[in-house]
Short mmCIF file of all heavy atoms in Angstrom, two decimals:
data_model
loop_
_atom_site.label_atom_id
_atom_site.label_comp_id
_atom_site.label_asym_id
_atom_site.label_seq_id
_atom_site.Cartn_x
_atom_site.Cartn_y
_atom_site.Cartn_z
N PHE A 109 59.90 19.92 65.59
CA PHE A 109 59.77 19.40 66.95
C PHE A 109 60.63 18.15 67.14
O PHE A 109 60.26 17.24 67.87
CB PHE A 109 58.31 19.07 67.26
CG PHE A 109 57.37 20.22 67.07
CD1 PHE A 109 56.43 20.21 66.05
CD2 PHE A 109 57.44 21.33 67.89
CE1 PHE A 109 55.55 21.27 65.86
CE2 PHE A 109 56.57 22.41 67.71
CZ PHE A 109 55.64 22.38 66.69
N TYR A 110 61.76 18.12 66.47
CA TYR A 110 62.66 16.96 66.54
C TYR A 110 62.99 16.61 67.98
O TYR A 110 63.38 17.47 68.77
CB TYR A 110 63.93 17.26 65.75
CG TYR A 110 65.03 16.24 65.89
CD1 TYR A 110 64.89 14.99 65.30
CD2 TYR A 110 66.19 16.52 66.60
CE1 TYR A 110 65.89 14.03 65.43
CE2 TYR A 110 67.19 15.58 66.72
CZ TYR A 110 67.04 14.33 66.13
OH TYR A 110 68.03 13.39 66.26
N MET A 111 62.79 15.36 68.34
CA MET A 111 63.03 14.88 69.70
C MET A 111 62.23 15.68 70.73
O MET A 111 62.65 15.90 71.85
CB MET A 111 64.52 14.92 70.05
CG MET A 111 65.33 13.80 69.42
SD MET A 111 64.91 12.21 70.15
CE MET A 111 66.07 11.13 69.28
N MET A 112 61.04 16.15 70.31
CA MET A 112 60.12 16.88 71.17
C MET A 112 60.73 18.17 71.73
O MET A 112 60.42 18.60 72.85
CB MET A 112 59.63 16.01 72.33
CG MET A 112 58.73 14.88 71.91
SD MET A 112 57.04 15.36 71.49
CE MET A 112 57.14 15.35 69.67
N LYS A 113 61.57 18.80 70.93
CA LYS A 113 62.14 20.07 71.38
C LYS A 113 61.07 21.16 71.36
O LYS A 113 60.10 21.10 70.61
CB LYS A 113 63.32 20.47 70.51
CG LYS A 113 62.95 20.91 69.09
CD LYS A 113 64.18 21.39 68.33
CE LYS A 113 63.82 21.86 66.93
NZ LYS A 113 65.00 22.34 66.18
N GLY A 114 61.25 22.14 72.22
CA GLY A 114 60.31 23.25 72.28
C GLY A 114 59.02 22.94 73.00
O GLY A 114 58.02 23.65 72.85
N MET A 115 59.00 21.88 73.82
CA MET A 115 57.78 21.48 74.52
C MET A 115 57.70 22.02 75.95
O MET A 115 56.68 21.88 76.60
CB MET A 115 57.69 19.95 74.56
CG MET A 115 57.55 19.31 73.20
SD MET A 115 55.92 19.61 72.49
CE MET A 115 56.17 19.10 70.79
N LEU A 116 58.77 22.60 76.45
CA LEU A 116 58.77 23.13 77.82
C LEU A 116 58.26 24.57 77.83
O LEU A 116 58.43 25.31 76.86
CB LEU A 116 60.17 23.06 78.41
CG LEU A 116 60.76 21.65 78.58
CD1 LEU A 116 62.21 21.73 79.05
CD2 LEU A 116 59.93 20.85 79.58
N GLY A 117 57.64 24.97 78.93
CA GLY A 117 57.09 26.32 79.03
C GLY A 117 55.59 26.29 78.79
O GLY A 117 54.93 25.27 78.94
N ASN A 118 55.05 27.44 78.38
CA ASN A 118 53.60 27.54 78.18
C ASN A 118 53.21 27.52 76.70
O ASN A 118 52.09 27.90 76.33
CB ASN A 118 53.05 28.81 78.84
CG ASN A 118 53.48 30.07 78.10
OD1 ASN A 118 54.41 30.04 77.30
ND2 ASN A 118 52.81 31.18 78.38
N VAL A 119 54.12 27.08 75.87
CA VAL A 119 53.87 27.05 74.43
C VAL A 119 52.70 26.12 74.12
O VAL A 119 52.51 25.08 74.76
CB VAL A 119 55.13 26.61 73.66
CG1 VAL A 119 55.54 25.20 74.02
CG2 VAL A 119 54.93 26.74 72.15
N SER A 120 51.87 26.51 73.14
CA SER A 120 50.70 25.73 72.77
C SER A 120 50.55 25.67 71.25
O SER A 120 51.23 26.39 70.52
CB SER A 120 49.43 26.34 73.40
OG SER A 120 49.22 27.65 72.91
N TRP A 121 49.68 24.79 70.79
CA TRP A 121 49.36 24.71 69.36
C TRP A 121 48.42 25.86 69.01
O TRP A 121 47.52 26.19 69.78
CB TRP A 121 48.72 23.36 69.05
CG TRP A 121 48.33 23.15 67.62
CD1 TRP A 121 47.07 23.01 67.13
CD2 TRP A 121 49.20 23.05 66.49
NE1 TRP A 121 47.10 22.83 65.77
CE2 TRP A 121 48.39 22.85 65.35
CE3 TRP A 121 50.58 23.11 66.35
CZ2 TRP A 121 48.94 22.71 64.07
CZ3 TRP A 121 51.12 22.96 65.08
CH2 TRP A 121 50.31 22.77 63.97
N SER A 122 48.60 26.45 67.85
CA SER A 122 47.87 27.67 67.48
C SER A 122 46.36 27.50 67.55
O SER A 122 45.63 28.41 67.98
CB SER A 122 48.28 28.11 66.08
OG SER A 122 48.03 27.09 65.12
N ALA A 123 45.84 26.33 67.14
CA ALA A 123 44.39 26.12 67.11
C ALA A 123 43.83 25.76 68.48
O ALA A 123 42.62 25.85 68.70
CB ALA A 123 44.04 25.03 66.11
N LEU A 124 44.70 25.34 69.40
CA LEU A 124 44.27 24.96 70.76
C LEU A 124 45.15 25.69 71.77
O LEU A 124 46.01 25.09 72.41
CB LEU A 124 44.37 23.44 70.95
CG LEU A 124 43.55 22.56 69.98
CD1 LEU A 124 43.82 21.09 70.26
CD2 LEU A 124 42.07 22.86 70.09
N PRO A 125 44.94 26.98 71.95
CA PRO A 125 45.85 27.79 72.76
C PRO A 125 45.74 27.58 74.26
O PRO A 125 46.55 28.14 75.01
CB PRO A 125 45.43 29.23 72.39
CG PRO A 125 43.99 29.11 72.02
CD PRO A 125 43.86 27.78 71.35
N THR A 126 44.77 26.79 74.73
CA THR A 126 44.59 26.65 76.18
C THR A 126 45.17 25.36 76.74
O THR A 126 45.00 25.09 77.93
CB THR A 126 43.09 26.72 76.54
OG1 THR A 126 42.39 25.64 75.89
CG2 THR A 126 42.49 28.06 76.12
N ILE A 127 45.81 24.56 75.91
CA ILE A 127 46.45 23.34 76.41
C ILE A 127 47.92 23.34 76.02
O ILE A 127 48.31 23.92 75.01
CB ILE A 127 45.76 22.06 75.86
CG1 ILE A 127 45.94 21.96 74.34
CG2 ILE A 127 44.29 22.03 76.24
CD1 ILE A 127 45.53 20.62 73.77
N PRO A 128 48.78 22.69 76.81
CA PRO A 128 50.21 22.66 76.49
C PRO A 128 50.46 21.95 75.16
O PRO A 128 49.76 20.99 74.80
CB PRO A 128 50.82 21.87 77.65
CG PRO A 128 49.82 21.96 78.75
CD PRO A 128 48.48 22.01 78.09
N LEU A 129 51.46 22.40 74.44
CA LEU A 129 51.81 21.80 73.15
C LEU A 129 52.14 20.32 73.30
O LEU A 129 51.77 19.50 72.45
CB LEU A 129 53.00 22.55 72.54
CG LEU A 129 53.50 22.02 71.18
CD1 LEU A 129 52.41 22.09 70.13
CD2 LEU A 129 54.74 22.79 70.74
N VAL A 130 52.82 19.95 74.38
CA VAL A 130 53.20 18.55 74.57
C VAL A 130 51.97 17.67 74.73
O VAL A 130 51.95 16.52 74.29
CB VAL A 130 54.16 18.39 75.78
CG1 VAL A 130 53.46 18.72 77.10
CG2 VAL A 130 54.74 16.98 75.81
N LEU A 131 50.91 18.21 75.32
CA LEU A 131 49.67 17.45 75.46
C LEU A 131 49.00 17.27 74.10
O LEU A 131 48.48 16.19 73.79
CB LEU A 131 48.73 18.15 76.44
CG LEU A 131 47.34 17.51 76.63
CD1 LEU A 131 47.45 16.03 76.99
CD2 LEU A 131 46.55 18.27 77.68
N PHE A 132 49.00 18.31 73.29
CA PHE A 132 48.46 18.19 71.94
C PHE A 132 49.22 17.12 71.16
O PHE A 132 48.62 16.31 70.45
CB PHE A 132 48.55 19.53 71.21
CG PHE A 132 48.12 19.47 69.78
CD1 PHE A 132 46.78 19.30 69.45
CD2 PHE A 132 49.05 19.58 68.75
CE1 PHE A 132 46.38 19.24 68.12
CE2 PHE A 132 48.66 19.52 67.43
CZ PHE A 132 47.32 19.35 67.11
N ALA A 133 50.55 17.11 71.32
CA ALA A 133 51.37 16.11 70.64
C ALA A 133 51.02 14.70 71.09
O ALA A 133 50.93 13.77 70.27
CB ALA A 133 52.86 16.39 70.88
N MET A 134 50.81 14.52 72.39
CA MET A 134 50.47 13.19 72.90
C MET A 134 49.05 12.77 72.52
O MET A 134 48.79 11.59 72.27
CB MET A 134 50.65 13.16 74.43
CG MET A 134 52.10 13.26 74.88
SD MET A 134 53.14 11.88 74.30
CE MET A 134 53.99 12.67 72.91
N PHE A 135 48.15 13.72 72.48
CA PHE A 135 46.78 13.43 72.05
C PHE A 135 46.79 12.95 70.60
O PHE A 135 46.19 11.92 70.25
CB PHE A 135 45.92 14.68 72.20
CG PHE A 135 44.49 14.52 71.74
CD1 PHE A 135 43.64 13.63 72.38
CD2 PHE A 135 44.00 15.27 70.68
CE1 PHE A 135 42.31 13.48 71.97
CE2 PHE A 135 42.68 15.13 70.27
CZ PHE A 135 41.83 14.24 70.91
N GLN A 136 47.50 13.65 69.75
CA GLN A 136 47.57 13.27 68.34
C GLN A 136 48.33 11.96 68.14
O GLN A 136 48.05 11.23 67.19
CB GLN A 136 48.23 14.39 67.53
CG GLN A 136 47.36 15.61 67.32
CD GLN A 136 46.13 15.32 66.48
OE1 GLN A 136 46.13 14.40 65.66
NE2 GLN A 136 45.07 16.08 66.69
N LEU A 137 49.25 11.66 69.02
CA LEU A 137 49.98 10.39 68.94
C LEU A 137 49.02 9.21 68.96
O LEU A 137 49.20 8.22 68.24
CB LEU A 137 50.98 10.29 70.10
CG LEU A 137 51.56 8.89 70.40
CD1 LEU A 137 52.34 8.36 69.20
CD2 LEU A 137 52.43 8.94 71.65
N LYS A 138 48.01 9.29 69.81
CA LYS A 138 47.08 8.16 69.95
C LYS A 138 46.33 7.89 68.66
O LYS A 138 45.99 6.74 68.35
CB LYS A 138 46.09 8.43 71.10
CG LYS A 138 46.75 8.86 72.42
CD LYS A 138 47.89 7.95 72.83
CE LYS A 138 48.48 8.30 74.18
NZ LYS A 138 49.26 9.54 74.22
N PHE A 139 46.06 8.93 67.86
CA PHE A 139 45.44 8.75 66.56
C PHE A 139 46.42 8.05 65.61
O PHE A 139 46.03 7.18 64.82
CB PHE A 139 45.05 10.11 65.97
CG PHE A 139 43.89 10.76 66.67
CD1 PHE A 139 44.03 11.30 67.94
CD2 PHE A 139 42.66 10.86 66.05
CE1 PHE A 139 42.98 11.91 68.59
CE2 PHE A 139 41.59 11.47 66.69
CZ PHE A 139 41.75 11.99 67.96
N ALA A 140 47.68 8.47 65.68
CA ALA A 140 48.71 7.87 64.82
C ALA A 140 48.92 6.40 65.15
O ALA A 140 49.28 5.60 64.28
CB ALA A 140 50.02 8.65 64.98
N ILE A 141 48.71 6.03 66.42
CA ILE A 141 48.89 4.64 66.85
C ILE A 141 47.81 3.73 66.29
O ILE A 141 48.07 2.66 65.73
CB ILE A 141 48.90 4.55 68.39
CG1 ILE A 141 50.22 5.10 68.96
CG2 ILE A 141 48.71 3.10 68.85
CD1 ILE A 141 50.21 5.24 70.48
N ILE A 142 46.55 4.15 66.42
CA ILE A 142 45.47 3.23 66.07
C ILE A 142 45.28 3.08 64.56
O ILE A 142 44.75 2.07 64.10
CB ILE A 142 44.14 3.67 66.72
CG1 ILE A 142 43.15 2.49 66.74
CG2 ILE A 142 43.56 4.91 66.03
CD1 ILE A 142 41.92 2.72 67.57
N THR A 143 45.75 4.04 63.77
CA THR A 143 45.52 3.97 62.33
C THR A 143 46.17 2.74 61.69
O THR A 143 45.49 1.96 61.01
CB THR A 143 45.99 5.26 61.64
OG1 THR A 143 45.33 6.38 62.25
CG2 THR A 143 45.64 5.23 60.16
N PRO A 144 47.48 2.52 61.86
CA PRO A 144 48.04 1.28 61.29
C PRO A 144 47.50 0.02 61.94
O PRO A 144 47.42 -1.03 61.31
CB PRO A 144 49.55 1.43 61.53
CG PRO A 144 49.68 2.39 62.65
CD PRO A 144 48.52 3.33 62.50
N ALA A 145 47.09 0.12 63.22
CA ALA A 145 46.51 -1.04 63.89
C ALA A 145 45.21 -1.46 63.22
O ALA A 145 44.89 -2.66 63.14
CB ALA A 145 46.28 -0.73 65.36
N LEU A 146 44.44 -0.50 62.72
CA LEU A 146 43.19 -0.82 62.04
C LEU A 146 43.41 -1.70 60.81
O LEU A 146 42.59 -2.55 60.48
CB LEU A 146 42.48 0.48 61.61
CG LEU A 146 41.90 1.35 62.73
CD1 LEU A 146 41.44 2.69 62.16
CD2 LEU A 146 40.74 0.64 63.41
N ILE A 147 44.53 -1.49 60.14
CA ILE A 147 44.81 -2.21 58.89
C ILE A 147 44.96 -3.71 59.14
O ILE A 147 44.67 -4.53 58.27
CB ILE A 147 46.09 -1.66 58.23
CG1 ILE A 147 45.97 -0.15 58.00
CG2 ILE A 147 46.37 -2.36 56.90
CD1 ILE A 147 47.29 0.50 57.59
N THR A 148 45.39 -4.08 60.33
CA THR A 148 45.78 -5.47 60.60
C THR A 148 44.66 -6.47 60.36
O THR A 148 44.91 -7.63 60.05
CB THR A 148 46.29 -5.63 62.05
OG1 THR A 148 45.23 -5.31 62.97
CG2 THR A 148 47.48 -4.70 62.30
N GLY A 149 43.42 -6.03 60.50
CA GLY A 149 42.31 -6.95 60.29
C GLY A 149 42.20 -7.45 58.87
O GLY A 149 41.61 -8.51 58.62
N ALA A 150 42.76 -6.72 57.93
CA ALA A 150 42.65 -7.10 56.51
C ALA A 150 43.55 -8.27 56.16
O ALA A 150 43.19 -9.12 55.34
CB ALA A 150 42.97 -5.91 55.61
N PHE A 151 44.75 -8.32 56.75
CA PHE A 151 45.67 -9.41 56.41
C PHE A 151 45.91 -10.33 57.60
O PHE A 151 46.92 -11.02 57.68
CB PHE A 151 47.00 -8.88 55.87
CG PHE A 151 47.61 -7.74 56.65
CD1 PHE A 151 47.94 -7.88 57.99
CD2 PHE A 151 47.86 -6.53 56.04
CE1 PHE A 151 48.51 -6.85 58.71
CE2 PHE A 151 48.43 -5.47 56.74
CZ PHE A 151 48.76 -5.64 58.08
N ALA A 152 44.96 -10.35 58.53
CA ALA A 152 45.07 -11.23 59.70
C ALA A 152 45.23 -12.68 59.25
O ALA A 152 44.71 -13.09 58.22
CB ALA A 152 43.83 -11.09 60.58
N GLU A 153 46.00 -13.43 60.02
CA GLU A 153 46.21 -14.87 59.85
C GLU A 153 47.18 -15.25 58.75
O GLU A 153 47.36 -16.42 58.46
CB GLU A 153 44.87 -15.60 59.62
CG GLU A 153 43.84 -15.34 60.71
CD GLU A 153 42.63 -16.25 60.64
OE1 GLU A 153 42.17 -16.52 59.51
OE2 GLU A 153 42.17 -16.70 61.70
N ARG A 154 47.87 -14.24 58.15
CA ARG A 154 48.81 -14.63 57.09
C ARG A 154 50.01 -13.71 56.91
O ARG A 154 50.72 -13.80 55.90
CB ARG A 154 48.06 -14.76 55.76
CG ARG A 154 47.39 -13.49 55.26
CD ARG A 154 46.44 -13.85 54.11
NE ARG A 154 45.87 -12.74 53.41
CZ ARG A 154 44.77 -12.08 53.79
NH1 ARG A 154 44.18 -12.42 54.91
NH2 ARG A 154 44.28 -11.11 53.07
N VAL A 155 50.30 -12.83 57.86
CA VAL A 155 51.41 -11.91 57.69
C VAL A 155 52.48 -12.14 58.75
O VAL A 155 52.17 -12.46 59.91
CB VAL A 155 50.91 -10.44 57.74
CG1 VAL A 155 50.45 -10.08 59.13
CG2 VAL A 155 51.97 -9.48 57.26
N ARG A 156 53.75 -12.03 58.35
CA ARG A 156 54.86 -12.20 59.27
C ARG A 156 54.96 -10.98 60.18
O ARG A 156 54.85 -9.84 59.73
CB ARG A 156 56.17 -12.39 58.51
CG ARG A 156 56.24 -13.66 57.70
CD ARG A 156 57.52 -13.75 56.87
NE ARG A 156 58.71 -13.87 57.72
CZ ARG A 156 59.68 -12.97 57.77
NH1 ARG A 156 59.60 -11.86 57.04
NH2 ARG A 156 60.73 -13.15 58.54
N PHE A 157 55.19 -11.23 61.46
CA PHE A 157 55.20 -10.15 62.44
C PHE A 157 56.34 -9.17 62.18
O PHE A 157 56.15 -7.95 62.24
CB PHE A 157 55.32 -10.73 63.86
CG PHE A 157 55.25 -9.70 64.93
CD1 PHE A 157 54.05 -9.07 65.23
CD2 PHE A 157 56.38 -9.35 65.66
CE1 PHE A 157 53.97 -8.11 66.24
CE2 PHE A 157 56.32 -8.39 66.66
CZ PHE A 157 55.11 -7.77 66.95
N ASN A 158 57.53 -9.66 61.89
CA ASN A 158 58.68 -8.78 61.65
C ASN A 158 58.44 -7.88 60.44
O ASN A 158 58.80 -6.69 60.45
CB ASN A 158 59.95 -9.61 61.45
CG ASN A 158 60.39 -10.32 62.72
OD1 ASN A 158 59.91 -10.00 63.81
ND2 ASN A 158 61.28 -11.30 62.59
N SER A 159 57.85 -8.44 59.41
CA SER A 159 57.57 -7.65 58.21
C SER A 159 56.49 -6.62 58.49
O SER A 159 56.53 -5.50 57.97
CB SER A 159 57.12 -8.58 57.07
OG SER A 159 58.11 -9.56 56.80
N PHE A 160 55.53 -6.99 59.31
CA PHE A 160 54.47 -6.05 59.68
C PHE A 160 55.05 -4.81 60.35
O PHE A 160 54.61 -3.68 60.10
CB PHE A 160 53.47 -6.75 60.61
CG PHE A 160 52.50 -5.81 61.28
CD1 PHE A 160 51.48 -5.21 60.56
CD2 PHE A 160 52.62 -5.51 62.63
CE1 PHE A 160 50.59 -4.33 61.16
CE2 PHE A 160 51.74 -4.64 63.25
CZ PHE A 160 50.72 -4.05 62.51
N MET A 161 56.05 -4.99 61.20
CA MET A 161 56.66 -3.84 61.88
C MET A 161 57.31 -2.89 60.89
O MET A 161 57.24 -1.67 61.06
CB MET A 161 57.68 -4.33 62.92
CG MET A 161 57.05 -5.03 64.13
SD MET A 161 58.22 -5.29 65.49
CE MET A 161 59.23 -6.60 64.81
N VAL A 162 57.91 -3.43 59.85
CA VAL A 162 58.50 -2.58 58.81
C VAL A 162 57.40 -1.81 58.09
O VAL A 162 57.52 -0.60 57.84
CB VAL A 162 59.30 -3.43 57.80
CG1 VAL A 162 59.79 -2.57 56.63
CG2 VAL A 162 60.48 -4.11 58.49
N PHE A 163 56.32 -2.50 57.76
CA PHE A 163 55.24 -1.86 57.00
C PHE A 163 54.59 -0.71 57.77
O PHE A 163 54.31 0.35 57.19
CB PHE A 163 54.17 -2.89 56.62
CG PHE A 163 52.95 -2.26 56.01
CD1 PHE A 163 53.01 -1.70 54.75
CD2 PHE A 163 51.74 -2.23 56.70
CE1 PHE A 163 51.89 -1.09 54.18
CE2 PHE A 163 50.62 -1.62 56.15
CZ PHE A 163 50.69 -1.06 54.88
N ILE A 164 54.34 -0.88 59.08
CA ILE A 164 53.65 0.18 59.80
C ILE A 164 54.52 1.44 59.91
O ILE A 164 54.00 2.56 59.97
CB ILE A 164 53.17 -0.27 61.20
CG1 ILE A 164 54.34 -0.67 62.10
CG2 ILE A 164 52.16 -1.40 61.07
CD1 ILE A 164 53.91 -0.96 63.54
N ILE A 165 55.83 1.26 59.92
CA ILE A 165 56.72 2.43 59.93
C ILE A 165 56.59 3.18 58.61
O ILE A 165 56.42 4.40 58.57
CB ILE A 165 58.18 2.00 60.17
CG1 ILE A 165 58.35 1.47 61.59
CG2 ILE A 165 59.13 3.18 59.93
CD1 ILE A 165 59.72 0.86 61.86
N LEU A 166 56.64 2.43 57.50
CA LEU A 166 56.54 3.05 56.18
C LEU A 166 55.17 3.71 55.99
O LEU A 166 55.07 4.83 55.49
CB LEU A 166 56.78 2.01 55.10
CG LEU A 166 58.18 1.39 55.04
CD1 LEU A 166 58.24 0.31 53.96
CD2 LEU A 166 59.23 2.45 54.79
N PHE A 167 54.12 3.01 56.40
CA PHE A 167 52.76 3.55 56.25
C PHE A 167 52.61 4.85 57.05
O PHE A 167 52.05 5.83 56.55
CB PHE A 167 51.72 2.53 56.71
CG PHE A 167 50.32 3.08 56.77
CD1 PHE A 167 49.53 3.11 55.63
CD2 PHE A 167 49.80 3.57 57.96
CE1 PHE A 167 48.25 3.64 55.68
CE2 PHE A 167 48.52 4.10 58.02
CZ PHE A 167 47.74 4.13 56.88
N SER A 168 53.08 4.85 58.27
CA SER A 168 52.93 6.02 59.13
C SER A 168 53.66 7.23 58.56
O SER A 168 53.13 8.35 58.55
CB SER A 168 53.45 5.71 60.54
OG SER A 168 52.68 4.70 61.15
N VAL A 169 54.88 7.01 58.06
CA VAL A 169 55.70 8.11 57.56
C VAL A 169 55.18 8.64 56.22
O VAL A 169 55.10 9.85 56.00
CB VAL A 169 57.17 7.67 57.42
CG1 VAL A 169 58.00 8.74 56.70
CG2 VAL A 169 57.77 7.38 58.80
N PHE A 170 54.80 7.74 55.32
CA PHE A 170 54.49 8.16 53.96
C PHE A 170 52.99 8.28 53.64
O PHE A 170 52.63 8.87 52.62
CB PHE A 170 55.13 7.19 52.97
CG PHE A 170 56.62 7.23 52.98
CD1 PHE A 170 57.36 6.22 53.61
CD2 PHE A 170 57.31 8.28 52.41
CE1 PHE A 170 58.75 6.26 53.63
CE2 PHE A 170 58.70 8.34 52.43
CZ PHE A 170 59.42 7.32 53.04
N ILE A 171 52.12 7.76 54.50
CA ILE A 171 50.68 7.89 54.25
C ILE A 171 50.00 8.68 55.37
O ILE A 171 49.40 9.73 55.12
CB ILE A 171 50.00 6.49 54.13
CG1 ILE A 171 50.65 5.69 53.01
CG2 ILE A 171 48.51 6.68 53.87
CD1 ILE A 171 50.47 6.25 51.62
#
Side-chain angles (χ1 to χ4, degrees):
F109 304 112
Y110 172 70
M111 284 291 183
M112 292 284 101
K113 70 176 182 179
M115 295 289 167
L116 296 174
N118 70 344
V119 63
S120 62
W121 179 246
S122 58
L124 301 177
T126 61
I127 65 169
L129 179 61
V130 67
L131 177 53
F132 176 71
M134 291 299 101
F135 178 64
Q136 287 295 333
L137 164 62
K138 309 311 184 289
F139 290 72
I141 287 171
I142 198 169
T143 305
L146 290 171
I147 304 170
T148 62
F151 46 60
E153 304 191 321
R154 61 192 188 276
V155 69
R156 295 176 66 243
F157 184 72
N158 293 345
S159 303
F160 168 72
M161 291 192 288
V162 174
F163 172 70
I164 62 173
I165 292 172
L166 295 177
F167 172 85
S168 296
V169 171
F170 293 104
I171 302 295

